[in-house]
């Protein structure tokens, strides 16, 4: 019985991966942009994995790993800019009345508008 379940799971995974190849490359690569939503429960700092200049350095695309958006949402972003560096701090919290949440990693991205283009300034994670 166990071998059969494994075989069915492998067949399903293969079918999904072959079917995914039929999608346009853009649909498989694009990360949805998450916008802050105030009012989460217990907002706290979260570490991000990358911050890349966007739109000629006027914005940063900041990416991090979290849980499903229905359970964990970006509450707000703090940005501190100096001549030499930009410090970006993400705050995420639990969503009210989120009920049952599955434990799954979700890659999230948000856009952060800068007061001045990034230029040669260093980008630092404020959660460290």
């Amino acid at each position: 019985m166990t071998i059969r379940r494994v075989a069915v799971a492998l067949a399903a995974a293969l079918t999904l991966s072959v079917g995914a190849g039929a999608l346009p490359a853009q649909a498989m690569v694009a990360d949805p942009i998450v916008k802050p939503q105030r009012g989460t429960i217990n907002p706290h700092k979260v570490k991000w994995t990358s911050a890349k200049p966007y739109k000629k350095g006027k914005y940063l695309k900041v990416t991090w790993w979290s849980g499903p958006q229905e359970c964990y949402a970006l509450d707000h972003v703090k940005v501190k800019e100096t001549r030499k560096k930009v410090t970006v701090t993400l705050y995420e919290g639990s969503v009210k009345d989120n009920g049952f949440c599955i434990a799954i990693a979700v890659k999230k991205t948000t856009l952060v508008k800068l007061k001045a283009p990034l230029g040669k300034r260093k980008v630092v994670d404020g959660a460290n």
Side-chain angles (χ1 to χ4, degrees), residues 7-72:
V8 170
L10 286 173
L14 182 59
T15 302
L16 288 174
S17 66
V18 170
L23 295 173
Q26 185 180 21
M28 294 189 308
V29 177
D31 293 325
I33 300 297
V34 174
K35 294 182 180 180
Q37 64 181 60
R38 287 284 189 165
T40 63
I41 299 168
N42 190 28
H44 58 281
K45 295 178 183 180
V46 291
K47 293 181 181 183
W48 45 263
T49 56
S50 70
K52 297 179 182 177
Y54 182 68
K55 297 249 182 186
K56 299 182 181 181
K58 295 178 183 178
Y59 293 83
L60 290 173
K61 265 190 173 181
V62 182
T63 303
W64 73 103
W65 288 92
S66 181
Q69 187 66 18
E70 301 80 26
C71 300
Y72 306 100

Side-chain angles (χ1 to χ4, degrees), residues 45-48 87-89 123-128:
K45 295 178 183 180
V46 291
K47 293 181 181 183
W48 45 263
T87 303
V88 178
T89 309
V123 182
V124 178
D125 188 345
N128 286 334

